Amino acid sequence: MTTTLRPAEPLQQHPDGTRSRRYQVCVNSRPVGTIRLGTHPVFGDTVARIMSLRIEEPDRRRGRGTVAALAAEEVVRGWGCRRIEMTVPADAGPALRLATALGYVVRNRGMEKTLGDTPPALPEGSRGRAMTEDEFRPWLAKEKEDYAREWIARGVPEAEARAKSERDHASLLPEGRATEGMLFSVLEHEGTAVGVLWLAVREEQAFVFDVETDPAHRGRGHGRSLMLLAEAQAVAAGRRTIGLNVFAGNVPAERLYESLGYETTRYAMYKPLL
């Protein structure tokens, strides 16, 4: 039996500059599923995405998805792509196993936590305060650099990573520190600044964009205090869900979030196309 991809629509060109196309997954010309491929809205035409992949129930567990994903790689190579990415829900065990078997690597994962009605208290001697403008400027410069380096370390070419950092921060912070819905805080412990927090208060949830303990004060529980501060601010703003993103390999952060009750919701994965 031969598994192939059959175009189900013309190549679509979108206003954001990306392109996409839907295909039928066929076995001996018999449709057994669908797959949608596209280029990346941030990294451009050289990076492809598997936007969706579905095999109908009667044809699952027969390797159809594996062959479809491999055929997708050939399609996007023809588009000139050098890398392919996908996002896998945390509860989609078969999809995660498939991606791993095909050589996809987890770059980062999204995590969430449901909050109660009472803001958590900070440890004795710790308090949060608003970041000043004089503190914000050097913090933002460092934040952009650190963010770019995280992507570089995970296979993104330096030029792409730095461009992404600039675009993402410009999009998220059009008014800088005064951007609506963005909270920038400094954690102090016994009068000494020990860490910083960037929290977004969105329509439905809060989201932690950055949490960092000063290197001189690490290993003393301030990272946990910063997360408690984020949760307290979220509850105070009326949000009952808080989310974050953690890059793969940041074991201390992963352990901290898990110990605080955060659960993984999705995995972002990538694979170089050689």
Side-chain angles (χ1 to χ4, degrees):
M1 289 189 175
T2 303
T3 301
T4 58
L5 302 186
R6 177 192 297 163
E9 64 178 357
L11 185 66
Q12 304 295 304
Q13 300 286 346
H14 303 289
D16 63 357
T18 62
R19 50 184 166 160
S20 68
R21 198 172 196 180
R22 298 180 191 274
Y23 298 82
Q24 287 183 324
V25 181
C26 299
V27 174
N28 292 343
S29 299
R30 176 176 62 88
V32 299
T34 59
I35 187 170
R36 185 184 181 205
L37 307 176
T39 53
H40 204 286
V42 174
F43 295 127
D45 283 346
T46 62
V47 180
R49 296 182 295 164
I50 295 181
M51 304 170 74
S52 64
L53 171 58
R54 176 177 175 79
I55 303 298
E56 299 301 330
E57 181 59 39
D59 281 274
R60 293 179 185 175
R61 295 171 290 279
R62 298 185 183 184
R64 315 293 196 215
T66 299
V67 178
L70 290 172
E73 294 178 16
E74 292 305 310
V75 169
V76 299
R77 282 191 182 96
W79 291 0
C81 296
R82 301 193 303 266
R83 190 169 74 248
I84 188 167
E85 303 189 353
M86 67 169 73
T87 299
V88 180
D91 58 0
L96 183 60
R97 290 191 292 272
L98 168 63
T100 302
L102 290 174
Y104 284 78
V105 177
V106 175
R107 173 178 289 139
N108 51 281
R109 56 173 164 152
M111 306 184 77
E112 287 186 359
K113 178 181 179 178
T114 301
L115 303 174
D117 296 329
T118 304
L122 297 183
E124 184 176 352
S126 294
R127 76 178 188 97
R129 63 165 175 81
M131 185 182 293
T132 67
E133 186 63 33
D134 286 343
E135 292 168 327
F136 177 79
R137 288 192 296 272
W139 167 83
L140 181 58
K142 182 178 182 300
E143 160 65 15
K144 289 181 179 179
E145 177 66 19
D146 290 349
Y147 184 67
R149 289 188 177 279
E150 289 280 10
W151 288 97
I152 293 168
R154 287 158 179 83
V156 176
E158 182 173 352
E160 289 183 21
R162 294 192 180 281
K164 175 176 173 57
S165 181
E166 289 296 330
R167 282 194 300 265
D168 286 358
H169 286 87
S171 175
L172 290 167
L173 303 173
E175 303 298 329
R177 189 171 67 101
T179 300
E180 184 177 359
M182 298 296 184
L183 303 177
F184 303 94
S185 304
V186 174
L187 177 72
E188 293 184 343
H189 182 71
E190 296 181 349
T192 299
V194 296
V196 294
L197 168 68
W198 173 14
L199 180 74
V201 180
R202 295 172 163 173
E203 292 183 2
E204 298 181 355
Q205 69 164 198
F207 191 87
V208 177
F209 275 108
D210 183 48
V211 56
E212 184 176 9
T213 303
D214 186 277
H217 299 281
R218 290 176 183 167
R220 304 176 191 179
H222 299 311
R224 179 175 293 269
S225 297
L226 282 162
M227 290 304 301
L228 293 176
L229 175 61
E231 294 177 14
Q233 291 179 347
V235 173
R239 305 306 188 268
R240 292 298 177 267
T241 304
I242 186 169
L244 55 84
N245 172 76
V246 58
F247 281 101
N250 190 347
V251 177
E254 292 175 324
R255 289 176 177 170
L256 171 62
Y257 303 145
E258 289 169 353
S259 73
L260 287 168
Y262 288 77
E263 297 182 348
T264 300
T265 58
R266 65 192 181 281
Y267 294 94
M269 309 183 74
Y270 74 100
K271 178 181 179 179
L273 296 174
L274 303 177

